[in-house]
Amino acid sequence: MTYHGAVKVGGPPDVRELAHLIITKVAVGPYDNNAYLLRCRATDEQLLIDAAAEAPVLLETVGDELATVVTTHRHHDHWGALAEVVATTGARTAAGEHDAEGIDVPTELLLKDGDKLLVGQAELTVRHLVGHTPGAIVLIYDDPQGHQHVFTGDCLFPGGVGNTWGDPEAFRTLFRDVNEKIFDVLPDEAWVYPGHGNDTTLGAERPHLDEWRERGW
């Protein structure tokens, strides 16, 4: 089956099998949050991005062992199940250094822009984007046998950047960071996995950047 990423709360996850990494996407909770489980093919080590809600669903997706849970940003809908998932699996917690204080579960690994995070033998690059929250992060996996895969939390969606609640300065910083750290350095083929809703690619969104800038959201 071809991966599509169009998952629904209460429905089955969708699985994307890369050469070195397996990505499982599942939708949970009242806000249709996406959680992403990454598993290294070589070592079976697993990392979960956003233990958002519905811990039983996430734990069923994870299975036996989980090494790390990364929270993309401080908003509660992205870590509502974190305490239960960590208590059950013993996984370490990780989050952006400027958002960790807003997450009720203590953060063991503080991430900053440019950090490298391993899932077994697969390497993720951390990018810090300011605007949706002060310390939101995205994770980029550069597939050595394919294109890049970008887990954007609530910083980038199909159709625009994340919510900045009408704050012009917050929009300016988020739009700048999305441009400089994602669009300016990654190709059109890069696949975007957002914190809610369907996936997209940078190529699908790139023609609309000027439109986003002009409308201010």
Side-chain angles (χ1 to χ4, degrees), residues 47 92 109-119 122-127 139-140 142:
L47 176 148
R92 67 174 176 172
L109 180 61
L110 296 174
L111 301 172
K112 61 182 183 297
D113 192 68
D115 279 352
K116 305 296 183 181
L117 187 60
L118 291 178
V119 189
E123 183 180 84
L124 306 173
T125 300
V126 177
R127 301 315 309 259
L139 300 174
I140 302 172
D142 191 352

Side-chain angles (χ1 to χ4, degrees), residues 3-4 6 8-9 15 32 47 56 61 68 81-82 88 114 122 130 146 148 151 157 164 172 186-187 190 194 196 209:
Y3 173 85
H4 50 75
K8 301 295 183 184
V9 174
V15 179
D32 297 332
L47 176 148
T61 303
T68 306
L82 181 59
T88 303
V130 179
Q148 292 84 355
F151 301 89
F157 295 96
T164 53
R172 186 189 68 80
L186 299 177
H196 306 262
L209 290 173

Side-chain angles (χ1 to χ4, degrees), residues 1-5 13-25 36-42 44 46 122 141 143-147 149 151 191 193 199:
M1 296 292 291
T2 301
Y3 173 85
H4 50 75
D14 196 13
V15 179
R16 186 170 207 169
E17 299 198 11
L18 307 177
H20 305 286
L21 193 69
I22 296 175
I23 301 168
T24 300
K25 178 181 182 179
Y36 299 94
L37 181 67
L38 279 53
R39 178 162 66 89
C40 171
R41 283 184 177 274
D44 286 331
Q46 296 190 126
Y141 172 61
D143 185 353
Q145 293 179 238
H147 53 72
H149 299 260
F151 301 89
W191 194 274
Y193 304 82
D199 300 353

